[in-house]
Amino acid sequence: MLVEPTVKEILAYCAEDPVERVFLEDVARRGFARFRALEGENGLGALCYFGANIVPSGQGCEAFAGEAASRGAGARMIIGNERAVTDLWSVARSVMPRPREDRPGQPVYAIEEAPSAPDSTGLREATFDDVDLLLPVCAANYLEELGVDPLEQDPVGFRRRTAGQIEEGRSWLWVEDGTILFKAEASAWTPQAVQLQQVWVDPEARRQGYGTRGLADLCRLLLQRTPTVTLFVRPENEAALRLYDRVGMRRVASYRSILF
């Protein structure tokens, strides 16, 4: 039977796997209480968040299919642990729109030990003065990752979200001579893990080591504040896979994304 979980129950569930469930814990702590759950023998057995994305976790996620069809109208994607997404989609596909893309087998990386620091960088936390510099880069990164141009789809909302990331201290960049040599944002942040997204190096500056140096610096910075830094990546992005391996990240899980 589906239940409306309490924040205490959600946090206890997420503590069982703080890397896989980092996003779920983050939104629960921030008060975005759009969850349904399945009870298990000792606490929750499965959990699903319904928002701009649908994020299932645990065993028996096919039970959320009806909720996904009703609550998830207009959702951008179903995303999360590959088995959980697969279980949900096995039933939801008959009651939800046809997706425009299915991305199974996305490696999830994590790192707990700070990488070595051969060279310092100019990495710093972004400020509001960086919004106009970051906006087109974040939009290009979004288009590259999701196939949608946010500056055409929702320019006001995208600018607001970009500024919000800065305001929350979740955006970092390394700039020289007006070029962003490296940048990244945190999509989720809990006491146990930070999940990075939109790792980017200017196209003209790629294959020169800036990504490795920038990400290594960012991991060192974040690991002073949380035990684990994590991210996930499309399996065909070989340059990103090599980058994460060079920094010393290890593969710990697999995600699946179904885009609408």
Side-chain angles (χ1 to χ4, degrees):
M1 182 178 70
L2 296 182
V3 297
E4 198 82 30
T6 66
V7 172
K8 182 177 180 180
E9 288 173 325
I10 293 170
L11 295 183
Y13 174 80
C14 292
E16 297 172 5
D17 193 336
V19 171
E20 184 247 312
R21 301 166 187 174
V22 60
F23 174 81
L24 297 172
E25 181 175 347
D26 178 82
V27 292
R29 288 181 177 275
R30 296 169 72 178
F32 301 141
R34 292 174 286 184
F35 289 94
R36 295 292 274 170
L38 284 174
E39 292 181 327
E41 292 184 4
N42 298 293
L44 302 181
L47 183 68
C48 193
Y49 170 77
F50 299 91
N53 298 328
I54 298 171
V55 186
S57 172
Q59 297 185 2
C61 288
E62 61 271 15
F64 299 122
E67 296 274 335
S70 58
R71 289 191 177 203
R76 292 195 298 260
M77 71 178 82
I78 302 173
I79 184 171
N81 175 271
E82 183 161 21
R83 185 179 67 177
V85 171
T86 298
D87 288 346
L88 172 57
W89 187 241
S90 68
V91 178
R93 66 190 307 159
S94 66
V95 291
M96 293 189 71
R98 178 187 293 271
R100 60 183 175 87
E101 193 171 351
D102 188 350
R103 300 177 179 175
Q106 298 178 87
V108 178
Y109 279 83
I111 187 169
E112 292 87 17
E113 295 185 8
S116 60
D119 298 298
S120 61
T121 72
L123 184 76
R124 60 175 174 79
E125 193 171 298
T127 71
F128 285 117
D129 290 339
D130 298 311
V131 171
D132 289 334
L133 180 63
L134 277 170
L135 193 65
V137 172
C138 289
N141 202 168
Y142 191 97
L143 176 61
E144 186 176 282
E145 289 294 320
L146 299 178
V148 175
D149 186 347
L151 294 181
E152 290 186 1
Q153 185 182 61
D154 182 16
V156 174
F158 190 72
R159 184 182 183 89
R160 183 176 62 249
R161 290 191 295 274
T162 302
Q165 290 272 40
I166 294 172
E167 183 177 17
E168 294 173 6
R170 294 183 176 214
S171 179
W172 301 269
L173 75 168
W174 172 14
V175 182
E176 288 186 5
D177 300 323
T179 298
I180 296 179
L181 300 180
F182 174 86
K183 73 96 183 167
E185 285 83 50
S187 56
W189 198 330
T190 74
Q192 294 303 313
V194 175
Q195 183 182 69
L196 298 179
Q197 67 173 2
Q198 291 207 342
V199 176
W200 171 270
V201 173
D202 185 274
E204 296 298 320
R206 292 176 184 175
R207 295 177 293 279
Q208 298 179 48
Y210 295 118
T212 303
R213 293 169 59 194
L215 183 58
D217 256 6
L218 182 54
C219 288
R220 284 191 292 272
L221 173 69
L222 293 175
L223 289 171
Q224 296 173 13
R225 304 170 63 181
T226 192
T228 305
V229 176
T230 183
L231 50 77
F232 63 95
V233 60
R234 296 172 67 175
E236 65 270 22
N237 190 342
E238 295 182 0
L241 296 175
R242 291 193 297 270
L243 166 61
Y244 305 144
D245 288 337
R246 283 197 301 271
V247 169
M249 305 186 93
R250 56 190 178 86
R251 301 187 191 195
V252 298
S254 180
Y255 275 8
R256 180 180 179 184
S257 303
I258 298 173
L259 286 69
F260 299 99

